[in-house]
Amino acid sequence: MAYEFAKLFSKVVTHTFFRDIEVIGQENIPKDGPILLYGNHNNQFIDPLLIISNMTRKINFIAAAKSMRKPIIGDIGKALGGIPVERPQDLAKIGSGILKKYDGTYLFAENSQFTKQCQIHDSILIQGIDTIILIVEIISDTKIKVQCEDPSQLHVKDNKYKIQPKVDQSMMFEQVWLALKQGKCIGIFPEGGSHDNTTLLPLKPGICIMALGASQKYQTKVKLQPVGLNYFKGHKFRSKVIVEFGVPYEISQQLIDTYAINKRQAISKLLLEIEQQLKSVTIQAPSYSHLSAVIIGRSLYLPDRTRLSPQDLLQLTKRFLQAFYKLKEHPEVNQVLTEIKLYNYKLKALGVRDWEVMRMQKRIYLDLQIIGFNIFMTILCLLFAFPGYIMTIPITIILNMYAEKERKSALAGSKVKISGKDVVASFKVLASIIIVPISVFIYTVLFYLWLTVYKIVDEELTFRYTIIFLLMWPIYITAMIRSNDGLIRHARKVNSQILFYLYENKYRKLKIQREELQNKIRRLVDAFGEEVIQDFNQNRIVQKSQLVSPKSVAELDIQNVFESLQELGI
């Protein structure tokens, strides 16, 4: 019962926060039997909620014990059947004194207390040094023998440090193995922690120990299933996400047998397979600028009147990224990428969007009709949503301040985060769980006092109206959010029509540049398609006959590129 309630909560949260959730491959989820489901981790507490709300069976996630001990987060995690695991980095403590010297074998310190604070097999963490430093012998309070993965990186001179204890995970693995033996579904994020990179972090071997250990100990046929969480401005309210459930697969008996005699070799092979499968369901790019260029390139490639399914659109994006990785040294490909980035820069400099360039045509009478209609709809949406805007201003300010504080804290304590945006959505949601009910209570009390003080109605009706207000306020807020989506959409259309008349000549130049770029991209796809995709011409997502430039501007359809650039917030 607690799980079903928590799953319903997950659905409400995710569908409120995201404007658009596309789910692909739900039919791939096995209806029974042990599954080890794994995904990328780009949106801290939102990731498991998205998977749980779209799973057709119960799933128990491996969760950081540190998070499970927190109020609200821990309560939700327990209701969802989370399995806590202690992460060594969460238990790291600041060491006394400072590190003075490393001679290739021994680490020397000043005013340290190694004999009291350290144990053999603990690790030393030094800010700015990524190599693993393992304690193999404690000589004295100021001297320890260490084993370093890459000694060339270990340059010590008056460094502060942390001591990270070795954690025994045997009980956790036993719990997971037993759950898999019972045919349960276990979820895990093998990157270890959330991040906002555009590529996967190095995967942790724990997932391999779970899968191979259960297979060996209980002769259980564990199925591994990747799930890709592809966010587009995922830290922003009312953004978009595509959830893709990949095809499940079993571990070969040969690999299970190898694990019995050579665990390191078996884990390395399986970890590589897991990484490749995870890449197949996620969008991977070297940087955000490359991702932006690739998505714009994909949009330019598409015929203006073509409507692709979410699955085909995601697959096309992956193909463009795959082409970039394979052809990144090719001068013509690099030239087109540079031109796409320059085109994008010009769009931003003008304050316009690609879809505005596409629809460029002077039709004064029709444009006035379009502007008039969209102004009317903008005002209508604003009138409906305005009371909600005023009443939610305090909530919005508090949520933004809290999320920003957590973002800075997470960024300061992480080596892998770029800007810490992976925690923003999660902490906005978590804070709103407390703040929103409090605000509903406060506004209900204020409404009651307003009715009472000014004697708007008699006492009996005052109580009745107060109850109605209490029930209707959350419903109105939900409707206001939907109305706000419409407000933004219609306001953008008004803005685009007006900007065209203000910058008509620049629009026309951009239009010419856009058409040239579109033709170049399509020629490159035809020239290199077979090098990137096997049997490319037989497996085209968009047929060559569809790639015909429109005969006139009037035939342009703005929707494809408009939606794609909305994904990036461009």
Side-chain angles (χ1 to χ4, degrees), residues 431-490:
S432 66
I433 293 171
I434 299 173
I435 295 170
V436 171
I438 292 173
S439 69
V440 171
F441 174 76
I442 291 172
Y443 282 128
T444 302
V445 171
L446 291 175
F447 180 75
Y448 174 80
L449 291 174
W450 176 68
L451 293 179
T452 305
V453 171
Y454 290 97
K455 296 183 173 21
I456 306 298
V457 291
D458 60 43
E459 189 174 338
E460 183 181 345
L461 287 176
T462 296
F463 180 76
R464 187 181 300 173
Y465 286 170
T466 302
I467 296 298
I468 292 172
F469 179 90
L470 178 64
L471 296 174
M472 291 300 295
W473 173 241
I475 297 172
Y476 168 71
I477 290 297
T478 304
M480 185 208 77
I481 290 169
R482 300 292 181 184
S483 179
N484 185 63
D485 293 343
L487 172 64
I488 293 170
R489 183 172 63 253
H490 292 296

Side-chain angles (χ1 to χ4, degrees), residues 235-458:
H235 62 287
K236 288 194 172 182
F237 187 63
R238 306 301 288 165
S239 55
K240 179 179 179 178
V241 60
I242 299 177
V243 183
E244 181 178 5
F245 290 94
V247 178
Y249 58 97
E250 289 184 0
I251 305 169
S252 68
Q253 187 58 49
Q254 182 182 1
L255 198 59
I256 296 171
D257 295 338
T258 302
Y259 183 73
I261 57 176
N262 191 332
K263 287 182 170 54
R264 184 180 291 272
Q265 182 183 347
I267 288 172
S268 297
K269 284 185 178 180
L270 183 57
L271 201 61
L272 183 61
E273 171 69 14
I274 287 169
E275 183 179 18
Q276 293 304 316
Q277 291 289 341
L278 194 52
K279 284 181 178 179
S280 73
V281 293
T282 54
I283 295 173
Q284 303 289 311
S287 66
Y288 280 107
S289 64
H290 281 93
L291 179 60
S292 174
V294 165
I295 288 184
I296 291 175
R298 178 207 69 186
S299 300
L300 292 171
Y301 170 75
L302 283 174
D304 298 323
R305 290 188 178 276
T306 300
R307 291 288 181 271
L308 295 183
S309 67
Q311 189 165 2
D312 283 342
L313 200 60
L314 186 62
Q315 183 61 29
L316 189 62
T317 306
K318 291 177 190 173
R319 287 186 176 188
F320 266 79
L321 285 164
Q322 188 179 348
F324 168 78
Y325 279 112
K326 284 194 175 183
L327 305 169
K328 61 183 177 181
E329 303 299 330
H330 197 284
E332 194 174 354
V333 173
N334 279 324
Q335 176 63 29
V336 170
L337 269 172
T338 301
E339 289 182 27
I340 291 173
K341 290 178 180 179
L342 180 61
Y343 172 70
N344 188 27
Y345 173 79
K346 288 182 178 179
L347 290 177
K348 290 181 178 180
L350 275 175
V352 298
R353 297 173 177 81
D354 186 68
W355 61 270
E356 296 168 357
V357 178
M358 287 179 61
R359 70 179 295 177
M360 184 189 64
Q361 186 182 17
K362 184 176 278 188
R363 302 162 297 177
I364 296 175
Y365 179 70
L366 182 58
D367 287 344
L368 286 174
Q369 285 183 309
I370 293 171
I371 290 172
F373 172 75
N374 284 295
I375 287 176
F376 171 76
M377 292 302 298
T378 300
I379 294 171
L380 193 65
C381 291
L382 183 60
L383 287 174
F384 181 80
F386 187 73
Y389 287 155
I390 299 300
M391 297 178 79
T392 56
I393 283 174
I395 300 174
T396 303
I397 292 173
I398 293 170
L399 288 180
N400 287 338
M401 288 175 60
Y402 177 68
E404 179 62 15
K405 179 184 174 183
E406 291 296 335
R407 184 192 70 80
K408 289 180 178 178
S409 175
L411 185 61
S414 173
K415 296 179 181 179
V416 298
K417 299 182 192 296
I418 296 174
S419 60
K421 289 181 179 178
D422 55 302
V423 304
V424 171
S426 296
F427 279 98
K428 280 185 178 180
V429 168
L430 291 170
S432 66
I433 293 171
I434 299 173
I435 295 170
V436 171
I438 292 173
S439 69
V440 171
F441 174 76
I442 291 172
Y443 282 128
T444 302
V445 171
L446 291 175
F447 180 75
Y448 174 80
L449 291 174
W450 176 68
L451 293 179
T452 305
V453 171
Y454 290 97
K455 296 183 173 21
I456 306 298
V457 291
D458 60 43

Side-chain angles (χ1 to χ4, degrees), residues 315 319 530 533-543:
Q315 183 61 29
R319 287 186 176 188
E530 290 288 346
I533 307 296
Q534 189 175 7
D535 299 324
F536 169 72
N537 287 313
Q538 286 74 35
N539 296 302
R540 276 181 175 269
I541 295 173
V542 180
Q543 297 304 313

Side-chain angles (χ1 to χ4, degrees), residues 3-170:
Y3 182 85
E4 292 304 320
F5 178 79
K7 184 173 181 177
L8 177 62
F9 168 81
S10 302
K11 277 185 176 289
V12 171
V13 167
T14 53
H15 281 83
T16 300
F17 191 86
F18 294 100
R19 171 180 56 84
D20 194 3
I21 301 175
E22 299 283 0
V23 184
I24 300 170
Q26 265 183 322
E27 67 279 2
N28 291 331
I29 303 170
K31 295 180 180 178
D32 50 37
I35 308 174
L36 194 51
L37 185 144
Y38 59 94
N40 56 309
H41 206 10
N42 292 112
N43 216 332
Q44 203 174 39
F45 303 120
I46 298 292
D47 289 339
L49 296 184
L50 265 173
I51 294 174
I52 287 165
S53 61
N54 291 289
M55 279 291 287
T56 53
R57 57 183 290 188
K58 184 177 180 179
I59 179 171
N60 302 101
F61 267 99
I62 306 295
K66 178 183 177 181
S67 297
M68 294 286 278
R69 287 191 288 267
K70 291 182 177 180
I72 301 177
I73 300 170
D75 295 331
I76 295 170
K78 289 169 187 173
L80 291 170
I83 300 172
V85 54
E86 286 288 3
R87 299 186 302 182
Q89 63 266 34
D90 294 334
L91 302 176
K93 295 181 180 179
I94 296 172
S96 300
I98 55 174
L99 301 177
K100 299 295 290 185
K101 187 178 71 171
Y102 173 64
D103 65 2
T105 303
Y106 296 98
L107 197 58
F108 298 88
E110 184 179 277
N111 299 323
S112 55
Q113 298 180 13
F114 289 146
T115 57
K116 296 178 181 178
Q117 292 187 319
C118 301
Q119 293 184 9
I120 294 173
H121 302 307
D122 286 354
S123 300
I124 299 293
L125 304 179
I126 306 174
Q127 189 173 4
I129 298 177
D130 293 332
T131 188
I132 296 172
I133 308 168
L134 188 68
I135 300 173
V136 294
E137 186 181 355
I138 301 170
I139 310 299
S140 68
D141 272 338
T142 57
K143 181 181 178 182
I144 52 175
K145 185 177 181 181
V146 297
Q147 184 178 345
C148 189
E149 193 177 57
D150 185 2
S152 63
Q153 289 191 32
L154 190 50
H155 304 291
V156 175
K157 187 179 179 181
D158 298 337
N159 298 90
K160 293 182 179 180
Y161 66 100
K162 287 185 178 182
I163 302 164
Q164 179 176 282
K166 177 180 173 59
V167 177
D168 182 6
Q169 304 286 13
S170 57

